[in-house]
Amino acid sequence: MLTITKENIIPYLKEHMPDFDDSGSVTVSQVGDGTPEEDGDGYVNYIFRIHTDKGNYVLKQGRELARTGQDPIALYRNKLEYDSMRIRYAIVPEYTPFLKFQDKENNLFVMEDVSNLRIVRFQLNKNRMFPDLGRKCGECMAKTEFYTSEYFLSRDEYRRLQTKFANTEMRKIMEDGAFMDIFKTEVERGLGEEFNNFARGIMYDPRFETERFKLRRNFMSHADALIHADLHTSNIFASEDAMKVIDMEFSFMGPFGYDLGYLTGNLVSQYCAACFKPFPSEAERREFKAYLLATIKSLFESYFKTFTECWNQDAKERYQGAGGLCHSILDEVMQDAPGYAVIVNWFRCTGEIEYPDFDVIENLEDKRHAQTLSLMIDWQLMFQRYQFMSVDDLIDTVLYVEEEYRKTL
Ligand code: ADP
Ligand code: MG
């Protein structure tokens, strides 16, 4: 396998990408050389930016050994990511980077560089708001899921997707990493023994564990649609008026509403951080917190509205008029997605992966409050979710726990 480097990338592209034009000025950089705000965090692949007068591209190469970490990961992930992106581009081109070229043999592909937009996580960390983010993400998820489900595709197409996106290796990372023994890592996060005991208490509570296993069961067995499966805020680029999703190597046929819950988990973390991180003024804190809740609300509402519209317009003949089924699917999503949000918020709060959403809080006492509040919200959401009729109930639960927590301060 050819290893792409900053030195050989231009000759490589000239040879392999027919319309690559380096006649003007050309710059090459490797992702990871810059700051997390520019380059994201936690990535495992080898990624290069190539800027020319004719266009800006990103080349992503998967190697067996990740950029960080010692364990080899399946190489096929790069091909699956390309295929997932291609499908998503066919459904929601406005939210997907354009694909230029693929080299299967060398486990790489080239796509449009979307870094004219910004990585959402690091902007939220700086209290920057993207007004339409929730609506766009909800629409993107609902369309991708509906048009890759059996409610739209022929049975054969749907089964082919299931076979193609088995993605056993990558799924395993989430099945175990997100839903299982994260706390065994016993990370020292400087939040004190009290926090660790509190987190352990939740982790090993048999009632909480049962809920975790129930969600994991759905994650492992409900092959509803092609999901992204790692849709956190570092994998979303946005500006005032645009939004693009990247990084699809975890993609597989999973449950409706998983991505919705996953992203909500990050937004809940941001909300808890916003309760305790420093702001220039209390008015700005209030505004930002309200923005986060409004984003969760529009995310869910847009998902539900879009899914229903897609169903009404494009469901296969046998499902036309079967509005009851569509309702029942969305009722299930309303109960499961908050559960997935809990899983994400919980594993990022208690796991070993760094979590910039909370790491921006320098004062350890405030950070401990933010993360403890997060875990308390997780507890409530996990058990209350069965009563949720709409996203308003989810938001009310978050507000209720925050209010109760404040009383203890
Ligand atoms: P990994 O699968 O290793 O997590 P990602 O696909 O998330 O890799 O990419 C890691 C980083 O590379 C991103 O955070 C971003 O900074 C940059 N990147 C990846 N794809 C693009 C793209 N299409 N446009 C701009 N930047 C990108
Ligand atoms: Mg990534």
Side-chain angles (χ1 to χ4, degrees):
M1 189 177 110
L2 173 72
T3 297
I4 297 291
T5 63
K6 279 195 264 190
E7 287 68 42
N8 67 13
I9 193 166
I10 297 299
Y12 171 85
L13 289 173
K14 279 169 83 166
E15 189 184 334
H16 290 83
M17 215 168 91
D19 59 346
F20 183 73
D21 181 353
D22 68 337
S23 54
S25 74
V26 179
T27 59
V28 175
S29 58
Q30 183 163 5
V31 169
D33 292 346
T35 62
E37 183 176 334
E38 293 155 353
D39 285 355
D41 58 320
Y43 40 84
V44 301
N45 293 287
Y46 290 79
I47 295 165
F48 299 86
R49 292 207 167 91
I50 311 101
H51 289 191
T52 73
D53 292 345
K54 297 281 160 53
N56 296 336
Y57 311 109
V58 162
L59 182 149
K60 181 166 181 177
Q61 181 169 47
R63 301 188 196 151
E64 200 168 26
L65 277 184
R67 236 175 48 88
T68 47
Q70 281 87 45
D71 298 331
I73 353 175
L75 274 175
Y76 67 70
R77 68 183 193 278
N78 186 270
K79 297 183 195 66
L80 271 197
E81 173 167 8
Y82 179 86
D83 286 337
S84 175
M85 224 178 207
R86 210 160 44 95
I87 292 170
R88 295 173 69 100
Y89 191 83
I91 300 170
V92 280
E94 65 278 43
Y95 302 134
T96 315
F98 178 70
L99 285 159
K100 282 295 290 181
F101 159 76
Q102 180 190 28
D103 177 350
K104 290 186 187 172
E105 207 176 311
N106 291 307
N107 296 298
L108 66 84
F109 63 88
V110 177
M111 64 189 135
E112 165 195 6
D113 184 339
V114 297
S115 43
N116 53 318
L117 315 178
R118 310 303 303 274
I119 299 174
V120 166
R121 184 187 311 281
F122 297 95
Q123 298 306 310
L124 293 179
N125 282 352
K126 295 200 293 192
N127 317 326
R128 171 151 182 226
M129 297 174 258
F130 299 98
D132 214 18
L133 186 70
R135 185 192 64 76
K136 288 187 178 115
C137 290
E139 183 192 324
C140 173
M141 291 169 186
K143 282 190 178 165
T144 314
E145 290 174 24
F146 178 79
Y147 290 109
T148 54
S149 76
E150 198 267 324
Y151 304 105
F152 175 73
L153 295 177
S154 73
R155 195 188 315 236
D156 283 353
E157 288 165 324
Y158 168 69
R159 291 267 183 263
R160 271 204 296 277
L161 283 188
Q162 284 187 347
T163 312
K164 188 175 190 66
F165 289 94
N167 209 355
T168 311
E169 295 287 317
M170 299 303 283
R171 285 169 72 167
K172 204 160 64 185
I173 298 174
M174 289 296 176
E175 285 162 3
D176 293 349
F179 290 88
M180 303 276 286
D181 304 304
I182 269 292
F183 208 73
K184 274 205 183 121
T185 51
E186 298 291 338
V187 207
E188 182 42 59
R189 42 181 91 62
L191 299 182
E193 215 20 52
E194 200 186 335
F195 176 83
N196 288 354
N197 286 335
F198 180 64
R200 250 183 241 117
I202 292 183
M203 162 90 188
Y204 295 111
D205 185 287
R207 292 162 295 178
F208 194 81
E209 186 183 67
T210 302
E211 294 305 311
R212 259 196 300 120
F213 279 131
K214 280 161 70 178
L215 291 163
R216 186 169 181 267
R217 170 174 174 248
N218 293 353
F219 184 71
M220 293 183 71
S221 62
H222 286 22
D224 287 322
L226 190 66
I227 60 168
H228 181 289
D230 196 22
L231 227 179
H232 53 67
T233 48
S234 291
N235 284 333
I236 304 176
F237 278 72
S239 68
E240 285 284 307
D241 42 34
M243 187 283 284
K244 303 264 180 190
V245 175
I246 62 159
D247 194 8
M248 296 154 195
E249 60 188 356
F250 283 93
S251 238
F252 73 100
M253 294 291 277
F256 286 133
Y258 181 77
D259 290 340
L260 177 68
Y262 200 93
L263 180 58
T264 302
N266 273 201
L267 296 170
V268 170
S269 308
Q270 280 288 343
Y271 183 82
C272 295
C275 290
F276 291 98
K277 73 183 181 187
F279 272 84
S281 71
E282 285 308 304
E284 280 163 80
R285 182 194 306 283
R286 268 198 306 279
E287 188 193 4
F288 190 65
K289 284 171 65 188
Y291 162 74
L292 290 169
L293 295 183
T295 300
I296 294 176
K297 185 171 162 73
S298 63
L299 177 65
F300 271 76
E301 287 179 350
S302 153
Y303 179 95
F304 281 54
K305 179 168 172 274
T306 309
F307 193 94
T308 308
E309 281 168 6
C310 291
W311 187 290
N312 291 341
Q313 274 169 37
D314 289 323
K316 284 197 297 212
E317 208 177 331
R318 75 169 54 141
Y319 296 119
Q320 283 293 332
L325 177 60
C326 180
H327 265 126
S328 120
I329 290 171
L330 294 177
D331 286 348
E332 215 176 287
V333 167
M334 196 56 245
Q335 298 187 355
D336 288 350
Y340 299 128
V342 168
I343 292 294
V344 171
N345 188 44
W346 167 81
F347 94 80
R348 293 301 303 262
C349 274
T350 64
E352 65 185 337
I353 314 166
E354 286 179 359
Y355 202 11
D357 304 35
F358 292 111
D359 293 342
V360 290
I361 310 177
E362 280 173 20
N363 179 307
L364 279 183
E365 183 72 8
D366 289 338
K367 190 171 168 186
R368 188 173 57 79
H369 282 310
Q371 294 199 208
T372 308
L373 171 63
S374 240
L375 295 185
M376 286 187 165
I377 289 174
D378 289 345
W379 180 269
Q380 283 293 321
L381 286 180
M382 194 60 123
F383 299 105
Q384 292 301 316
R385 63 196 174 96
Y386 296 106
Q387 269 76 54
F388 290 174
M389 306 291 286
S390 78
V391 64
D392 293 334
D393 297 329
L394 188 161
I395 290 169
D396 283 348
T397 305
V398 171
L399 290 171
Y400 166 78
V401 181
E402 182 193 351
E403 205 178 303
E404 291 298 302
Y405 190 75
R406 289 206 181 279
K407 288 182 193 161
T408 69
L409 295 180

CSV table of all heavy atoms in Angstrom, one decimal, residues 34-68:
chain,number,residue,atom,x,y,z
A,34,GLY,N,-2.2,21.5,12.7
A,34,GLY,CA,-2.9,22.8,13.2
A,34,GLY,C,-3.5,22.6,14.6
A,34,GLY,O,-3.2,21.6,15.3
A,35,THR,N,-4.3,23.5,15.0
A,35,THR,CA,-4.9,23.5,16.3
A,35,THR,C,-6.2,22.6,16.3
A,35,THR,O,-6.7,22.4,15.2
A,35,THR,CB,-5.4,24.9,16.8
A,35,THR,OG1,-6.4,25.3,15.8
A,35,THR,CG2,-4.3,25.8,16.8
A,36,PRO,N,-6.7,22.1,17.4
A,36,PRO,CA,-7.9,21.3,17.4
A,36,PRO,C,-9.1,22.1,16.7
A,36,PRO,O,-9.9,21.6,16.1
A,36,PRO,CB,-8.2,21.0,18.8
A,36,PRO,CG,-6.9,21.1,19.5
A,36,PRO,CD,-6.1,22.1,18.8
A,37,GLU,N,-9.1,23.4,17.0
A,37,GLU,CA,-10.2,24.2,16.4
A,37,GLU,C,-10.2,24.1,14.9
A,37,GLU,O,-11.2,24.1,14.2
A,37,GLU,CB,-10.1,25.7,16.8
A,37,GLU,CG,-11.3,26.5,16.3
A,37,GLU,CD,-11.3,27.9,16.8
A,37,GLU,OE1,-10.7,28.2,17.9
A,37,GLU,OE2,-11.9,28.7,16.1
A,38,GLU,N,-9.0,24.1,14.3
A,38,GLU,CA,-8.9,24.0,12.8
A,38,GLU,C,-9.0,22.6,12.3
A,38,GLU,O,-9.6,22.3,11.3
A,38,GLU,CB,-7.5,24.5,12.3
A,38,GLU,CG,-7.3,26.0,12.5
A,38,GLU,CD,-5.8,26.3,12.6
A,38,GLU,OE1,-4.9,25.3,12.6
A,38,GLU,OE2,-5.4,27.4,12.6
A,39,ASP,N,-8.4,21.7,13.1
A,39,ASP,CA,-8.3,20.3,12.6
A,39,ASP,C,-9.2,19.3,13.3
A,39,ASP,O,-9.1,18.1,12.9
A,39,ASP,CB,-6.8,19.9,12.8
A,39,ASP,CG,-5.9,20.5,11.8
A,39,ASP,OD1,-6.4,21.2,10.9
A,39,ASP,OD2,-4.7,20.4,11.9
A,40,GLY,N,-9.9,19.7,14.3
A,40,GLY,CA,-10.8,18.7,15.0
A,40,GLY,C,-10.0,17.9,16.0
A,40,GLY,O,-8.8,18.3,16.3
A,41,ASP,N,-10.6,16.9,16.6
A,41,ASP,CA,-10.0,16.2,17.7
A,41,ASP,C,-10.3,14.7,17.6
A,41,ASP,O,-11.3,14.3,17.0
A,41,ASP,CB,-10.5,16.7,19.1
A,41,ASP,CG,-12.0,16.6,19.1
A,41,ASP,OD1,-12.7,16.8,18.1
A,41,ASP,OD2,-12.5,16.2,20.2
A,42,GLY,N,-9.4,13.9,18.1
A,42,GLY,CA,-9.7,12.5,18.2
A,42,GLY,C,-9.7,11.7,16.9
A,42,GLY,O,-10.1,10.6,16.9
A,43,TYR,N,-9.2,12.3,15.8
A,43,TYR,CA,-9.2,11.5,14.6
A,43,TYR,C,-8.1,10.5,14.5
A,43,TYR,O,-7.1,10.6,15.1
A,43,TYR,CB,-9.1,12.5,13.4
A,43,TYR,CG,-8.1,13.6,13.6
A,43,TYR,CD1,-6.8,13.4,13.3
A,43,TYR,CD2,-8.5,14.8,14.1
A,43,TYR,CE1,-5.9,14.3,13.6
A,43,TYR,CE2,-7.6,15.8,14.3
A,43,TYR,CZ,-6.3,15.5,14.1
A,43,TYR,OH,-5.4,16.5,14.3
A,44,VAL,N,-8.4,9.4,13.7
A,44,VAL,CA,-7.5,8.3,13.6
A,44,VAL,C,-6.8,8.1,12.3
A,44,VAL,O,-5.9,7.3,12.1
A,44,VAL,CB,-8.2,7.0,14.0
A,44,VAL,CG1,-8.7,7.1,15.4
A,44,VAL,CG2,-9.3,6.6,13.1
A,45,ASN,N,-7.3,8.8,11.3
A,45,ASN,CA,-6.8,8.6,9.9
A,45,ASN,C,-5.8,9.7,9.5
A,45,ASN,O,-5.5,10.6,10.2
A,45,ASN,CB,-8.0,8.7,8.9
A,45,ASN,CG,-9.0,7.5,9.2
A,45,ASN,OD1,-8.6,6.4,8.8
A,45,ASN,ND2,-10.1,7.7,9.8
A,46,TYR,N,-5.2,9.4,8.3
A,46,TYR,CA,-4.2,10.3,7.8
A,46,TYR,C,-4.9,11.2,6.8
A,46,TYR,O,-5.5,10.8,5.8
A,46,TYR,CB,-3.1,9.5,7.2
A,46,TYR,CG,-2.3,8.8,8.2
A,46,TYR,CD1,-2.7,7.7,8.8
A,46,TYR,CD2,-1.1,9.4,8.7
A,46,TYR,CE1,-2.0,7.0,9.8
A,46,TYR,CE2,-0.4,8.8,9.7
A,46,TYR,CZ,-0.9,7.6,10.3
A,46,TYR,OH,-0.2,7.0,11.3
A,47,ILE,N,-4.9,12.5,7.1
A,47,ILE,CA,-5.7,13.5,6.3
A,47,ILE,C,-4.9,14.6,5.9
A,47,ILE,O,-4.1,15.2,6.7
A,47,ILE,CB,-7.0,13.9,7.1
A,47,ILE,CG1,-7.8,12.7,7.4
A,47,ILE,CG2,-7.8,15.0,6.4
A,47,ILE,CD1,-8.8,12.8,8.5
A,48,PHE,N,-5.0,15.0,4.6
A,48,PHE,CA,-4.2,16.0,4.0
A,48,PHE,C,-5.1,17.0,3.3
A,48,PHE,O,-6.1,16.7,2.7
A,48,PHE,CB,-3.2,15.5,2.9
A,48,PHE,CG,-2.3,14.5,3.5
A,48,PHE,CD1,-2.6,13.1,3.6
A,48,PHE,CD2,-1.0,14.8,3.9
A,48,PHE,CE1,-1.7,12.2,4.1
A,48,PHE,CE2,-0.1,13.9,4.5
A,48,PHE,CZ,-0.5,12.6,4.6
A,49,ARG,N,-4.7,18.3,3.4
A,49,ARG,CA,-5.4,19.3,2.7
A,49,ARG,C,-4.6,19.8,1.5
A,49,ARG,O,-3.4,20.0,1.7
A,49,ARG,CB,-5.6,20.6,3.6
A,49,ARG,CG,-6.6,20.4,4.7
A,49,ARG,CD,-7.3,21.7,5.1
A,49,ARG,NE,-8.4,21.3,6.0
A,49,ARG,CZ,-8.2,21.3,7.3
A,49,ARG,NH1,-7.1,21.5,7.9
A,49,ARG,NH2,-9.3,20.9,8.0
A,50,ILE,N,-5.2,19.8,0.3
A,50,ILE,CA,-4.5,20.3,-0.9
A,50,ILE,C,-5.3,21.5,-1.4
A,50,ILE,O,-6.4,21.3,-1.8
A,50,ILE,CB,-4.5,19.2,-1.9
A,50,ILE,CG1,-4.0,17.9,-1.3
A,50,ILE,CG2,-3.5,19.6,-3.1
A,50,ILE,CD1,-5.1,16.9,-1.0
A,51,HIS,N,-4.6,22.6,-1.4
A,51,HIS,CA,-5.3,23.8,-1.9
A,51,HIS,C,-4.6,24.2,-3.2
A,51,HIS,O,-3.4,24.4,-3.3
A,51,HIS,CB,-5.2,25.0,-0.9
A,51,HIS,CG,-6.1,24.7,0.3
A,51,HIS,ND1,-6.4,25.7,1.2
A,51,HIS,CD2,-6.8,23.6,0.7
A,51,HIS,CE1,-7.2,25.1,2.1
A,51,HIS,NE2,-7.4,23.9,1.8
A,52,THR,N,-5.5,24.4,-4.3
A,52,THR,CA,-4.9,24.8,-5.6
A,52,THR,C,-5.8,26.0,-6.0
A,52,THR,O,-6.8,26.3,-5.4
A,52,THR,CB,-5.0,23.7,-6.7
A,52,THR,OG1,-6.4,23.6,-7.0
A,52,THR,CG2,-4.5,22.4,-6.2
A,53,ASP,N,-5.4,26.6,-7.1
A,53,ASP,CA,-6.2,27.7,-7.6
A,53,ASP,C,-7.6,27.2,-8.2
A,53,ASP,O,-8.5,28.0,-8.2
A,53,ASP,CB,-5.5,28.4,-8.8
A,53,ASP,CG,-4.2,29.2,-8.3
A,53,ASP,OD1,-4.1,29.3,-7.0
A,53,ASP,OD2,-3.3,29.5,-9.1
A,54,LYS,N,-7.6,26.0,-8.5
A,54,LYS,CA,-8.9,25.4,-9.1
A,54,LYS,C,-9.8,24.8,-8.1
A,54,LYS,O,-11.0,24.5,-8.4
A,54,LYS,CB,-8.5,24.4,-10.2
A,54,LYS,CG,-7.8,24.9,-11.3
A,54,LYS,CD,-8.7,25.7,-12.3
A,54,LYS,CE,-8.0,26.7,-13.2
A,54,LYS,NZ,-6.9,26.1,-14.0
A,55,GLY,N,-9.3,24.5,-6.9
A,55,GLY,CA,-10.2,23.9,-5.9
A,55,GLY,C,-9.4,23.4,-4.7
A,55,GLY,O,-8.2,23.3,-4.7
A,56,ASN,N,-10.2,23.3,-3.6
A,56,ASN,CA,-9.6,22.8,-2.3
A,56,ASN,C,-10.0,21.4,-2.0
A,56,ASN,O,-11.3,21.2,-2.0
A,56,ASN,CB,-9.9,23.8,-1.2
A,56,ASN,CG,-9.3,25.2,-1.4
A,56,ASN,OD1,-8.4,25.3,-2.1
A,56,ASN,ND2,-10.0,26.2,-0.8
A,57,TYR,N,-9.1,20.5,-1.8
A,57,TYR,CA,-9.5,19.1,-1.5
A,57,TYR,C,-8.9,18.6,-0.2
A,57,TYR,O,-8.0,19.1,0.3
A,57,TYR,CB,-8.9,18.2,-2.7
A,57,TYR,CG,-9.2,18.8,-4.0
A,57,TYR,CD1,-8.2,19.3,-4.8
A,57,TYR,CD2,-10.5,18.7,-4.5
A,57,TYR,CE1,-8.5,19.8,-6.1
A,57,TYR,CE2,-10.8,19.2,-5.8
A,57,TYR,CZ,-9.8,19.8,-6.6
A,57,TYR,OH,-10.0,20.3,-7.8
A,58,VAL,N,-9.6,17.5,0.2
A,58,VAL,CA,-9.1,16.8,1.4
A,58,VAL,C,-8.9,15.3,1.0
A,58,VAL,O,-9.8,14.8,0.3
A,58,VAL,CB,-10.1,16.9,2.6
A,58,VAL,CG1,-9.8,15.8,3.6
A,58,VAL,CG2,-10.0,18.2,3.2
A,59,LEU,N,-7.7,14.8,1.2
A,59,LEU,CA,-7.5,13.4,1.0
A,59,LEU,C,-7.4,12.6,2.3
A,59,LEU,O,-6.7,13.1,3.3
A,59,LEU,CB,-6.1,13.2,0.3
A,59,LEU,CG,-5.7,11.7,-0.1
A,59,LEU,CD1,-4.9,11.8,-1.4
A,59,LEU,CD2,-5.0,11.0,1.0
A,60,LYS,N,-8.2,11.6,2.4
A,60,LYS,CA,-8.3,10.8,3.7
A,60,LYS,C,-7.8,9.4,3.4
A,60,LYS,O,-8.4,8.7,2.6
A,60,LYS,CB,-9.8,10.8,4.2
A,60,LYS,CG,-9.9,10.0,5.5
A,60,LYS,CD,-11.3,10.3,6.1
A,60,LYS,CE,-11.5,9.6,7.4
A,60,LYS,NZ,-12.8,9.9,8.1
A,61,GLN,N,-6.8,9.0,4.1
A,61,GLN,CA,-6.2,7.7,3.9
A,61,GLN,C,-6.4,6.9,5.2
A,61,GLN,O,-6.0,7.4,6.3
A,61,GLN,CB,-4.7,7.7,3.5
A,61,GLN,CG,-4.2,6.3,3.3
A,61,GLN,CD,-2.8,6.2,2.7
A,61,GLN,OE1,-1.9,7.0,3.0
A,61,GLN,NE2,-2.7,5.4,1.7
A,62,GLY,N,-6.9,5.7,5.2
A,62,GLY,CA,-7.0,4.8,6.3
A,62,GLY,C,-5.8,3.9,6.3
A,62,GLY,O,-5.5,3.3,5.3
A,63,ARG,N,-5.1,3.8,7.4
A,63,ARG,CA,-4.0,2.8,7.5
A,63,ARG,C,-4.4,1.9,8.7
A,63,ARG,O,-5.2,2.2,9.5
A,63,ARG,CB,-2.7,3.5,7.8
A,63,ARG,CG,-2.4,4.5,6.7
A,63,ARG,CD,-1.0,5.1,6.8
A,63,ARG,NE,-0.9,6.3,6.0
A,63,ARG,CZ,-0.1,7.3,6.2
A,63,ARG,NH1,0.7,7.3,7.2
A,63,ARG,NH2,-0.1,8.3,5.4
A,64,GLU,N,-3.7,0.8,8.6
A,64,GLU,CA,-4.1,-0.3,9.6
A,64,GLU,C,-3.8,0.2,11.0
A,64,GLU,O,-4.7,0.1,11.9
A,64,GLU,CB,-3.3,-1.5,9.4
A,64,GLU,CG,-4.0,-2.7,10.0
A,64,GLU,CD,-3.5,-4.0,9.6
A,64,GLU,OE1,-2.3,-4.1,9.2
A,64,GLU,OE2,-4.2,-5.0,9.7
A,65,LEU,N,-2.7,0.9,11.2
A,65,LEU,CA,-2.4,1.5,12.5
A,65,LEU,C,-2.9,2.9,12.5
A,65,LEU,O,-2.5,3.7,11.7
A,65,LEU,CB,-1.0,1.4,12.8
A,65,LEU,CG,-0.5,0.1,13.4
A,65,LEU,CD1,1.0,0.2,13.8
A,65,LEU,CD2,-1.3,-0.4,14.6
A,66,ALA,N,-3.8,3.2,13.5
A,66,ALA,CA,-4.3,4.6,13.6
A,66,ALA,C,-3.2,5.6,13.9
A,66,ALA,O,-2.2,5.2,14.4
A,66,ALA,CB,-5.4,4.6,14.6
A,67,ARG,N,-3.5,6.8,13.5
A,67,ARG,CA,-2.6,7.9,13.8
A,67,ARG,C,-2.3,8.0,15.3
A,67,ARG,O,-1.2,8.3,15.8
A,67,ARG,CB,-3.3,9.2,13.4
A,67,ARG,CG,-2.5,10.1,12.4
A,67,ARG,CD,-3.3,11.3,12.0
A,67,ARG,NE,-3.9,11.9,13.2
A,67,ARG,CZ,-3.3,12.9,13.9
A,67,ARG,NH1,-2.1,13.3,13.5
A,67,ARG,NH2,-3.9,13.4,14.9
A,68,THR,N,-3.4,7.7,16.1
A,68,THR,CA,-3.2,7.6,17.6
A,68,THR,C,-3.7,6.2,18.0
A,68,THR,O,-4.7,5.7,17.4
A,68,THR,CB,-4.0,8.7,18.3
A,68,THR,OG1,-5.3,8.6,17.7
A,68,THR,CG2,-3.5,10.0,18.1
